[in-house]
Amino acid sequence: MILQGKVIMISGGASGIGQACALAYAQEGAIVVIIDKDTTALHTMQALLPGPHSLLQADVAKGAEVEQAMKTILQNHGRLDAIHNNAGVAQPSKPLHETTEEEWELVMQVNVKSIYHTTRYGIAALRDSRGCILNTSSLVGEIGQDNHAAYAGSKGAVNALTKAMALDYASWGIRVNAVAPAGVWTPMLRQWSTEQPNTAQIEQYLDQIHALGYCPGTAEIADVCSFLLSEKARFITGCIMPVSGGAELGYKHLA
């Protein structure tokens, strides 16, 4: 078990990629602390992650709530070995000029400023443990995506932050990396695909953009995240790790 004894905090860990990561970390021997604002999803996770794991209701876009969550983690577990900044929003599906100020602010608060909050209030504990930080980014932070300007921009910021933070904290023995999927079959993506005019064509497209020929589930992402948080990745920092089946080699288009 490559994460044996580590205390790992993951934001947005009650559903989707975050849920798969939380379960994988626990399976690898970690004590997992999920921070999520979705109380219904947290309730579901309680049955999947009983003690010694912890589930905290908090909005990572709000600094005071993150500060309190970090205090609770240290009170309950005595240490913190890793922060996985996974919480994120992908909306709106619009070009930049159609994006409202409220939509822009929400994307940046959740996808970018939350990393500021968890780092500000968690860095002292990570310095004590010589721990690590993992950010959930996206391939679109590198290659762009039509009709998702705010989202792509936020993930580009996540990538830049990852590299800058890796340099800032290397002298403390803290590694900082990011994982960058392309498409991933989460409940959110399944729902989105059913709302498209040609559902079958959308599913085929999502398979074909990946050079390996299929759109992955969350387990493929969780496996790589477990590795990056483990000592097996002890000499990796500042890496934006694509877990994309080769999609960065060129998106394919349906004929």
Side-chain angles (χ1 to χ4, degrees):
M1 294 191 289
I2 61 175
L3 299 174
Q4 184 67 47
K6 292 184 180 292
V7 177
I8 299 176
M9 185 282 282
I10 179 169
S11 65
S15 61
I17 291 173
Q19 182 189 67
C21 288
L23 295 174
Y25 299 160
Q27 188 174 21
E28 291 291 351
I31 296 172
V32 180
V33 181
I34 292 175
I35 295 180
D36 205 298
K37 69 176 185 178
D38 186 338
T39 54
T40 301
L42 283 171
H43 181 73
T44 300
M45 283 299 290
Q46 271 189 322
L48 299 175
L49 277 182
H53 311 289
S54 300
L55 293 88
L56 304 177
Q57 196 279 328
D59 184 348
V60 290
K62 298 178 180 178
E65 295 189 20
V66 174
E67 182 179 19
Q68 182 56 54
M70 290 298 181
K71 290 178 179 178
T72 301
I73 291 170
L74 294 176
Q75 288 168 359
N76 290 348
H77 302 288
R79 61 183 291 125
L80 181 62
D81 297 283
I83 292 173
H84 182 173
N85 294 299
N86 173 75
V89 294
Q91 298 298 324
S93 300
K94 298 176 181 179
L96 188 62
H97 72 282
E98 294 180 6
T99 302
T100 68
E101 187 169 353
E102 291 75 17
E103 290 168 335
W104 173 270
E105 290 295 336
L106 178 62
V107 172
M108 294 302 167
Q109 289 281 337
V110 176
N111 294 4
V112 183
K113 195 171 184 181
S114 63
I115 297 175
Y116 164 75
H117 289 149
T118 61
T119 302
R120 180 177 183 187
Y121 298 115
I123 196 67
L126 292 185
R127 187 174 185 181
D128 289 342
S129 65
R130 295 178 69 85
C132 55
I133 297 171
L134 179 62
N135 300 320
T136 298
S137 186
S138 169
L139 190 59
V140 305
E142 294 288 339
I143 68 173
Q145 183 180 18
D146 60 317
N147 288 322
H148 287 81
Y151 177 70
S154 74
K155 293 305 184 179
V158 169
N159 292 349
L161 270 177
T162 298
K163 295 174 184 179
M165 292 163 65
L167 290 171
D168 285 341
Y169 304 135
S171 63
W172 294 347
I174 297 173
R175 300 183 297 107
V176 186
N177 293 296
V179 62
V184 182
W185 281 124
T186 61
M188 184 183 299
L189 185 60
R190 287 285 181 194
Q191 178 63 34
W192 175 85
S193 69
T194 64
E195 295 168 355
Q196 304 311 303
N198 270 312
T199 300
Q201 188 178 37
I202 288 294
E203 293 204 11
Q204 184 182 0
Y205 169 73
L206 288 169
D207 284 337
Q208 289 189 350
I209 64 172
H210 302 85
L212 290 180
Y214 71 98
C215 185
T218 54
E220 285 87 340
I221 314 305
D223 286 346
V224 176
C225 291
S226 296
F227 164 73
L228 288 172
L229 292 180
S230 77
E231 292 305 307
K232 292 183 179 293
R234 61 191 175 275
F235 207 61
I236 299 175
T237 196
C239 175
I240 314 299
M241 178 73 77
V243 190
S244 56
E248 69 274 16
L249 304 177
Y251 271 11
K252 298 178 182 178
H253 295 276
L254 292 176

